[in-house]
Amino acid sequence: MRDGDIPTIFNPRRFRTPSVVVTGDEQPRGSVPNGPFTSSAHLQHTDSVTGSQQAAEPSSGSGALHKLKSCKNSCCSRSARKIYFGVCVTICVTASWVGATHCIKYLYLRRPVPNTSYSNNSNSMHRHIVVPYNAPFFTTWFCTNWTVLFFPLYFICCLISTKCKSPGSILWESVWNFRDKGFTAARFLTRCSLFCLLWVATNYMYIHSLRILLATDVMALFATNVSCVYLLSWVILHEQFVGVRIVAVILCDTGIALLAYMDGITGSPTLGGVVLAACAAAGSAVYKVLFKKVIGEASYGQVSLFFSLIGLFNAALLWPLCLVLYFTRVETLYWEQLPWPALLAASGLSLAANLLGNFSVALTYDLFITLGLITAVPVSAALDVVLYGAHFVGMKLAGMILIAVGFFLVMFPDNWPDYITRLLRNLIMLSHSARWSRRNRHGAQGSQRRDIVDYRTGYIRSHLRSPSGRVR
C-alpha cells in the first residue's frame, strides 16, 4: 500500500496493496491474454467436406483444452485466490462486527425477569421486575480483557505452522523487533499504557452511544473514521494531498450533522449519542495514526504482543475504576441477573473482528477488510428493522447515504485521475476501432456488390449484343 492509502479499519498497520487487480500472475497490467474468451486455435477450411472435418476436429479439441487451461489458470491464480479469500474475510468481518454491536445493544434492553414468588393466604402471586443494565465502562473493560488472547493465539499458530522454531525464539523475535527500533523496557511499557487508555476511551464512547442510538446509526457514524484517518495522516504523517478525499471528508461531516439533528435538538438525547459515536470514530483514527507515528511498521508478532499488553494493562489497572462506578451508583449492575450469554458473545465477536482485521492481510488485500465496516451498515439496518421495527427515512437515511459515499471516495487511489483518463482513452479507442471496422466492412460489401453488378451487366450485354456489335 502506498503512503496515501488508508489503513484498515481494525489494523493500524498499512500494507502495500495494488490499486489495479491483475487476474494473471505474470501478465502485464491491464492485459489478460489467458482469459477464458481467448483462443489461439482457428479452424482451417478445405475444399472437401471430409477434409474440413478432419482439420476441424483436432483444432477444436486443442481450442477447448486451451480454454479450460486458461480458465483454470485465471481462476486459480494468486490474485484470484486473494480475491476469493477477500470476499470471505469481508463476510466474516461484517458478521462479527454486526454481531458484537447488536449483542452490546441487547444488553441495554430492559426486560422483565421473574422474581421469587410469595404466597398471600390462599393465592400465590408472581412478581416481575425490570432489571436495567447500565454499565458501559464495565462492558468496555470486560471486552478489552479478551485482547490478552492475541499473542497466545499467534504463538500457537506459529508453533503449528513453523515446527523448526522453538517457543523461546518466537517470543524473542517479537520482543527484539521493538528493541531494534530503540524502545527500552520503560519507554515501551509507557507507550503501551497510553495506547491502552486511548483504546479504552474509544471503545467506551462507542459502547456508551449504543445506549442512546440504534446499532445502525452508531456503526454508520463509526465508519467516518476513515476520513479522520486521512486528515490526521495528511497533517501528522505528511501524506499526499488528494482532492477527492477532502470532498469525502466534507460528505462525512455533512452526514454526521444530518444524523445529529434527525430527531431535533429540543429534549432529545440523539445529539449526545451522535457526538459520542463521532468521538469514537475520531479516537479510532487517532489511535491508528499515532501507532504509525510511534511504532511504525510492525510485524504480526509485534502487533500480537502489543494487543496482549493492552489487555493486561486494562485488566490490571482499570478494575478499581469499575468498582468505584459500581459503588457510587453511576453504573447499574446486578450480578445475580447479569446477561452473561450476550456479554460473552459480544466479547468473543469483538475479538474475532480484531483478529480478522489484523491477521487476514496475510491472505487477501487490505481493501476487503476495510469494506467489512461499510457493508455492516445495511446488514445492521435489516436487523434493526426486523427486531426493533426501525424506520430509516428522511434525514437519517440521507446522512447514512452521504457517509457511505464519503467512505468510498476516501478509498479512491492517489492517482485516480490517471485511471479515469486511461478509461476514457480506452473507450475512445474502442469507439474509433468499431467505427473503422464498420466502415471497412461496408466498403468491402459495396465493392463486392459492384463486382457482382458489373459481372451481371457484362453477362447480359454478351447475350444482348450480336457478334457484329449490334444489339439484337
Side-chain angles (χ1 to χ4, degrees), residues 273-309:
V274 171
V275 170
L276 283 174
C279 290
S284 176
V286 171
Y287 175 89
K288 293 170 182 144
V289 175
L290 286 182
F291 190 95
K292 176 66 178 178
K293 182 72 173 179
V294 176
I295 305 299
E297 296 294 337
S299 62
Y300 296 119
Q302 289 177 291
V303 174
S304 303
L305 182 60
F306 198 82
F307 271 94
S308 294
L309 289 176

Side-chain angles (χ1 to χ4, degrees), residues 348-378:
L349 291 173
S350 178
L351 176 65
N354 284 284
L355 288 173
L356 288 171
N358 285 277
F359 293 151
S360 57
V361 288
L363 301 175
T364 183
Y365 298 112
D366 193 26
L367 177 65
F368 292 99
I369 306 172
T370 309
L371 289 177
L373 186 66
I374 196 64
T375 54
V377 175

